[in-house]
Structures are given as structure tokens and as C-alpha cells.
Amino acid sequence: MQFLLYLLFYPIILFVSYLPFRLLYLLSDFVFFIMYYVVGYRKKVVRHNLELALPHLTKNERRIIERKSYQHLCDMFLETMKTMSITQKEIDQRFVFKNIEVYHELEKKGKSIALMCAHYASYEWVVSINKKITFKGFAIYKKINNKYFDKLIHDIRSKFEAYLIHNRESIAIIEANFHKKELCLYGFASDQSPQIKPLTYWSKFLNVEVPVHTGAEYLAKQYDMNIIYLKVEKVKRGHYEAYFEVLSDNVHAVPNYEITEKFMRNVEKQIYAAPEFYMWTHKRFKHMGKRNLI
């Protein structure tokens, strides 16, 4: 069944990837209409998230953000397909690292780097950074159940020299690279909801107490990495700008969870400034109120 699904959808994905951007976004408008007005994909989840995160806004204001967020989600979904055929020149024009020198200065310190980012604006095109760095770049991700589509994602991102590692194998790979003294960049999208366990760290995020991913900070301290934050902004349709901010170049001098807190506050600032570019379809607050139940 997995292979049949792959055979069915792969030609469509390939066709979409070769569409010129003008037609790509016309298709995105159509997909948005179907997803939002016909199917209503996760609309209850999105409205619940927006009510919790942005209670100071009116219902009408949240509905405007809601529609814009679905439009952006459709754009990004098709942009991911476009990555299959996009040229280096095109992606350099559409995803611009504005202060890449900040990252390069961190490389000179001779330690591997943990890059923290959010599911905001275009996190898919962040992989283009691998053509601009010296270190070997890894992206830590959650494996796709369909092994054929999982391989497709690997192949797409490998064109930018990005290596994908499943979150369950990340520690072993990072440890092996550490012992080999191989300098690497590890990308962590750390803003979504983790599984809750007795030692899970909790914090306020968008006015709600939630469990928080601390893996990037933990691994940086365990394997002596520096940490940098990548802030991605959507300038206009199909165009993004990314800015680096060093979170720590001496992780052992920083109290536990302080780096994670700084990351979460940075993400909050982005969301409050332009909430329509955040991934609201994820059940970010599904563990709300459960802290005392574990």
C-alpha cells in the first residue's frame, strides 16, 4: 500500500515541482480554497490554538489570522515540492541569509553548532544553508511513516548537502561525530510539543504552560557545542530572510534551561509580530493542564 501511494502521488509532486512560481501560487490559492473552505483541515485545532495564544484579539481578528495562516501553509507545502527542481540561483534569491557572517564567526571557534529554529515562515528552505557553510550539516527530523516518501524527502534535501537524521538516532550520531572530532551543524526545530515524562521541563509559551523540548540545549552541553538561533521572516510570497543570533558560545557557563527559555521567548516575539506565519495546525497545547498528572 505504501508503494502504491507513492506511485500515485510522486508524478503529481514532480509535476508541481516544475511549475513556474506564478502558476505554483495559483495552484496554492486553489489548494487553500479546498483545504480551508471545503475540507476544513484541522480548523478546530487552529481556532483553539489561536484562542489560547491570542486572547487579546477579537474573534474577527483571529479569523483573519486563521485564513492567512492557511494560505501560508499551502504556499509552504507547494514550495516544499518545488524544492525538487529549484535551482541554487533561485533559492539564493528567495531565501536570503542576511547576516551569515555571524554564523561564520561561530564556526571559527572550533566547536560544533546547534542551530535552533521554529516552525515559522519557511523552515523547509533552511536546508539551503548547507551550501554556505564549512561544517557538515545535519537536520534532525521525525521520520515519515511511508518509507518511500521518507526517502524522497532525504533525496530532496540532499541536493543542498543536508543529512537527515531521525530524532531517535540523533544522540548516537552526534556522539560518534564528537569522538571523531568532526565539526558539524545540527538543526533543531524545537518549538513543538514533546512527549511528557516525569522529568519533562515545563514553561510558559504564548500564555500557556506547556512541556518544552530541551534536547538542543542538553546535547549542546553534553557534547560542548555552541548554540545559534535562526530567525526566519517572510518578506513577501515566496521570499524569505533569515537572521542569526548567537544564544551561547559557552554553554557550560549558562544555567540549565536558560538557553531553551531564550529560544522560546524569541519564537514568541516572531509569532506576536506576525502570527499568520506560524504552524497553528499542530496540537501545541494538547498537554495543557497535565503537569500535575504525571
Side-chain angles (χ1 to χ4, degrees), residues 19-263:
L19 289 176
F21 276 99
R22 182 173 296 181
L23 291 180
L24 187 81
Y25 291 122
L26 285 176
L27 178 59
S28 180
D29 290 339
F30 173 73
V31 174
F32 160 71
F33 179 84
I34 299 299
M35 180 183 287
Y36 185 75
Y37 290 105
V38 180
V39 178
Y41 173 72
R42 291 202 168 193
K43 195 176 284 188
K44 288 183 179 180
V45 173
V46 172
R47 290 183 177 176
H48 178 65
N49 287 343
L50 288 172
E51 287 171 6
L52 288 173
L54 306 172
H56 58 287
L57 299 182
T58 65
K59 181 178 179 179
N60 184 57
E61 288 172 329
R62 289 197 295 269
R63 289 294 185 272
I64 292 171
I65 293 169
E66 175 184 295
R67 287 191 292 273
K68 288 182 177 179
S69 72
Y70 275 94
Q71 289 173 327
H72 170 69
L73 182 65
C74 292
D75 280 359
M76 194 178 63
F77 175 65
L78 294 182
E79 286 167 0
T80 301
M81 296 184 188
K82 182 67 176 175
T83 310
M84 288 182 66
S85 64
I86 198 169
T87 66
Q88 188 66 47
K89 181 179 179 181
E90 283 179 317
I91 203 163
D92 286 344
Q93 291 172 340
R94 291 178 172 274
F95 197 98
V96 181
F97 295 94
K98 298 296 288 186
N99 62 340
I100 191 71
E101 67 278 0
V102 173
Y103 170 82
H104 288 153
E105 285 299 315
L106 204 59
E107 273 197 345
K108 293 177 183 178
K109 295 183 181 292
K111 294 181 180 181
S112 288
I113 299 171
L115 182 149
M116 300 183 74
C117 64
H119 289 83
Y120 185 91
S122 177
Y123 50 88
E124 286 292 338
W125 281 355
V126 172
V127 294
S128 63
I129 190 176
N130 291 283
K131 292 287 188 177
K132 306 177 186 303
I133 65 176
T134 303
F135 289 4
K136 186 175 182 179
F138 292 85
I140 298 169
Y141 82 113
K142 187 175 181 180
K143 195 171 185 178
I144 299 172
N145 290 330
N146 187 308
K147 64 180 181 180
Y148 301 101
F149 282 112
D150 189 70
K151 183 180 183 303
L152 177 62
I153 294 296
H154 275 261
D155 293 342
I156 291 172
R157 292 177 178 174
S158 66
K159 69 183 290 184
F160 296 107
E161 300 176 4
Y163 297 87
L164 267 66
I165 51 176
H166 184 248
N167 51 5
R168 293 180 181 177
E169 63 183 4
S170 59
I171 295 177
I173 291 175
I174 292 171
E175 182 177 17
N177 289 336
F178 175 75
H179 290 303
K180 289 187 295 184
K181 301 187 184 303
E182 184 167 6
L183 297 176
C184 303
L185 172 68
Y186 301 99
F188 297 83
S190 303
D191 58 309
Q192 301 295 285
S193 183
Q195 294 181 345
I196 52 175
K197 300 176 182 178
L199 297 179
T200 297
Y201 179 68
W202 294 70
S203 179
K204 280 287 185 74
F205 179 61
L206 299 171
N207 302 308
V208 182
E209 189 176 42
V210 294
V212 175
H213 278 290
T214 58
E217 179 178 343
Y218 169 81
L219 291 171
K221 290 187 174 184
Q222 185 76 8
Y223 299 105
D224 195 26
M225 293 187 279
N226 293 322
I227 301 189
I228 199 165
Y229 173 63
L230 185 67
K231 175 185 177 182
V232 182
E233 296 180 346
K234 189 170 186 175
V235 180
K236 60 181 180 179
R237 201 171 200 183
H239 291 267
Y240 304 88
E241 292 180 349
Y243 300 83
F244 294 96
E245 177 187 334
V246 177
L247 296 181
S248 177
D249 60 359
N250 185 11
V251 292
H252 297 294
V254 182
N256 287 342
Y257 308 120
E258 186 173 301
I259 294 170
T260 298
E261 285 289 346
K262 190 173 182 179
F263 165 73

